[in-house]
Amino acid sequence: MHIKQVVAAGKPLSEADSAIIMIHGRGADAAGILSMAEYLPVKEFAQLAPQATNHTWYPYSFLVPVEENEPWLSSAIQVLDEVVNDVVSAGIKKENLYFLGFSQGACLTLEYTARRANRYGGVIAFTGGLIGADIDTSNYGGDFNQTPIFIGSSDPDPHVPASRVLASAAILRSMNAAVTDKIYKGMGHTISEDEIQQVKKLMFA
């Protein structure tokens, strides 16, 4: 299973007022996703990127039944719990905690925050959706209290159907999140400049 291995950048947790947890995609690594900090105004944040064992958070598509991705998915959730606990223990309020993920990391970002809904600083999902063959809302609880959430994706995307993005956005809205979803025609499996600008406007203005 996963063990907590975190690559850190930005300010040390002990000195920061805000933190961002950045979650890499399948086949990628913590150092790679940390490079996203260059495009966002998070220089004064503690920047934390956990590393998945064998560079993947769970073995199969996020669209298979959840039990097929166990016990890896639960282990990934546990790692994020530990990182969040580190942030909170350092005195950073959850309303100053942000999450960012790409692809598999975006799916994990949305799944984690839906299971642990709270007033966060923001949730950024570049190409992702809630996890499972069918979305089981009984896994989710809490109140986002108008946390800004951005979900951007391509149509088509080889891994993430636009229909799942929109279904996920609807569920998050029902949990009192302020969701912005944008589907980009033919963008490809990448992060666009428009997505970066949307996130800056929504969460860091």
Side-chain angles (χ1 to χ4, degrees), residues 73-135:
L73 176 58
S74 290
S75 179
I77 296 286
Q78 175 63 33
V79 165
L80 291 182
D81 273 335
E82 292 175 19
V83 179
V84 170
N85 287 341
D86 289 345
V87 170
V88 173
S89 296
I92 295 173
K93 297 176 180 176
K94 286 186 177 175
E95 64 212 48
N96 294 323
L97 171 59
Y98 296 72
F99 294 84
L100 178 152
F102 172 65
S103 192
Q104 190 187 57
C107 297
L108 183 56
T109 294
L110 293 174
E111 186 70 17
Y112 179 82
T113 53
R115 293 187 186 200
R116 308 282 190 270
N118 216 298
R119 181 53 166 98
Y120 299 113
V123 177
I124 304 157
F126 294 125
T127 311
L130 293 167
I131 294 174
D134 299 300
I135 302 172

Side-chain angles (χ1 to χ4, degrees), residues 27-39:
D29 60 27
I33 194 71
L34 273 178
S35 68
M36 285 302 303
E38 298 170 23
Y39 303 95

Side-chain angles (χ1 to χ4, degrees), residues 6-11 18-22 34 37-38 42-49:
V6 179
V7 179
K11 276 198 165 183
S18 301
I20 184 165
I21 298 172
M22 309 174 84
L34 273 178
E38 298 170 23
V42 295
K43 188 172 71 172
E44 297 298 310
F45 287 38
Q47 303 162 18
L48 307 169

